[in-house]
């Protein structure tokens, strides 16, 4: 990531560029909240009280400050809609599941390039053992499954991605996927905001993502803590 803290022109408190190992991303959730927390910790003062405005490749992104949580405004999808049947078959093969476990599939691309699969349950999501050899670096895959009624969280998510030539990997918490998944689930009438999602469970993590809505704007939030702080003499 590269951050410019003097970019108040155009309504932004700072400008950030987000890079993976192989490409630049127009938007990503984890770097957005992490950068906002780091900027505030370093003494940054937003022009609008209680709201940090970040400029990135996707444009201006608002980030609300809510005590120990931060929440970004979910950006619009760059690609949505149905997925070709041939691609669905390939995704099912990669995930190692039977097609009857798949409830729906759609493009959920808000920058990183997610294609999302809604499965029949959170248990099916947690039991996945993807075949990395079948992936060949083609897509970033987001998988969603509903927990039973009365559970602590409404949905379980898993995110599988690759940086071109690297093997398929799993991300413990993924803001961009949770944002686009929430937009999809709500727009199709499968859930309503607010709700809480979990991610990282299969990796021994306890990620919690908070989805809320206000004035038709969807917000995606969670904790972002400062773990290491220091200075460098250049």
């Amino acid at each position: 990531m590269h951050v410019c803290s003097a970019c108040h022109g155009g309504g932004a408190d700072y400008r950030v560029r987000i890079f993976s190992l192989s490409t630049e991303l127009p938007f990503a959730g984890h770097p957005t909240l992490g950068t906002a927390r780091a900027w505030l910790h370093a003494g940054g003062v937003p022009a609008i009280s209680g709201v940090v405005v970040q400029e990135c490749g996707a444009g201006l992104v608002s980030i609300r400050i809510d005590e120990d949580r931060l929440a970004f405004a979910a950006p619009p999808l760059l690609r949505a809609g149905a997925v070709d049947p041939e691609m669905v078959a390939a995704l099912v093969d990669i995930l190692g599941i039977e097609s009857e476990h798949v409830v729906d599939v759609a493009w959920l691309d808000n920058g990183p390039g997610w294609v999302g699969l809604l499965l029949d349950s959170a248990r099916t999501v947690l039991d996945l053992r993807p075949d990395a050899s079948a992936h060949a670096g083609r897509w970033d895959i987001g998988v969603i499954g509903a927990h039973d009624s009365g559970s602590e969280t409404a949905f379980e998510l898993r995110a599988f991605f690759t940086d071109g030539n690297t093997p398929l990997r799993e991300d413990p918490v993924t803001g961009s996927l949770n944002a686009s998944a929430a937009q999809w689930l709500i727009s199709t009438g499968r859930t309503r905001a607010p709700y809480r999602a979990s991610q990282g469970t299969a990796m021994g993590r306890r990620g919690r993502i908070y989805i809320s809505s206000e004035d038709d704007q969807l917000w995606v939030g969670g904790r972002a803590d400062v773990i290491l702080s220091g200075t460098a003499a250049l």
Side-chain angles (χ1 to χ4, degrees):
M1 272 182 306
H2 174 74
V3 182
C4 169
S5 60
C7 299
H8 292 277
D13 290 303
Y14 61 81
R15 182 169 183 257
V16 61
R17 297 179 66 185
I18 303 169
F19 297 91
S20 72
L21 295 178
S22 61
T23 189
E24 182 171 0
L25 301 175
F27 172 78
H30 225 129
T32 292
L33 296 190
T35 300
R37 176 60 72 200
W39 184 77
L40 291 167
H41 180 74
V45 178
I48 303 171
S49 179
V51 179
V52 176
V53 180
Q54 169 182 292
E55 181 183 356
C56 58
L60 299 181
V61 178
S62 295
I63 304 152
R64 296 196 310 189
I65 305 169
D66 185 11
E67 297 182 354
D68 62 342
R69 293 184 200 159
L70 299 173
F72 64 82
L77 295 182
L78 303 177
R79 184 177 185 181
V83 177
D84 293 339
E86 295 81 6
M87 183 175 178
V88 174
L91 292 168
V92 168
D93 186 50
I94 291 167
L95 294 174
I97 56 175
E98 301 296 330
S99 57
E100 54 262 30
H101 291 298
V102 180
V103 177
D104 202 359
V105 185
W107 284 103
L108 303 179
D109 183 11
N110 52 14
W114 297 108
V115 57
L117 295 92
L118 178 63
L119 303 188
D120 55 3
S121 71
R123 174 44 54 191
T124 302
V125 172
L126 289 169
D127 288 343
L128 290 175
R129 297 296 181 268
D131 180 5
S133 65
H135 187 264
R138 290 176 287 180
W139 312 291
D140 289 343
I141 306 169
V143 190
I144 309 136
H147 281 283
D148 293 336
S149 178
S151 298
E152 180 206 353
T153 55
F155 295 94
E156 187 74 35
L157 287 89
R158 295 180 71 180
F160 304 102
F161 70 100
T162 179
D163 285 312
N165 296 321
T166 62
L168 190 67
R169 293 180 288 170
E170 183 168 359
D171 191 23
V173 178
T174 315
S176 60
L177 174 60
N178 275 275
S180 56
Q183 290 166 322
W184 182 38
L185 294 169
I186 292 169
S187 68
T188 55
R190 292 184 169 103
T191 193
R192 293 184 296 176
Y195 72 82
R196 180 167 51 183
S198 50
Q199 190 180 344
T201 310
M203 305 173 68
R205 303 289 189 90
R206 193 179 180 275
R208 294 294 182 267
I209 304 92
Y210 299 82
I211 305 296
S212 60
S213 180
E214 185 176 327
D215 298 329
D216 295 325
Q217 175 61 61
L218 195 69
W219 296 88
V220 182
R223 289 180 59 93
D225 298 321
V226 176
I227 304 302
L228 181 66
S229 180
T231 59
L234 302 177

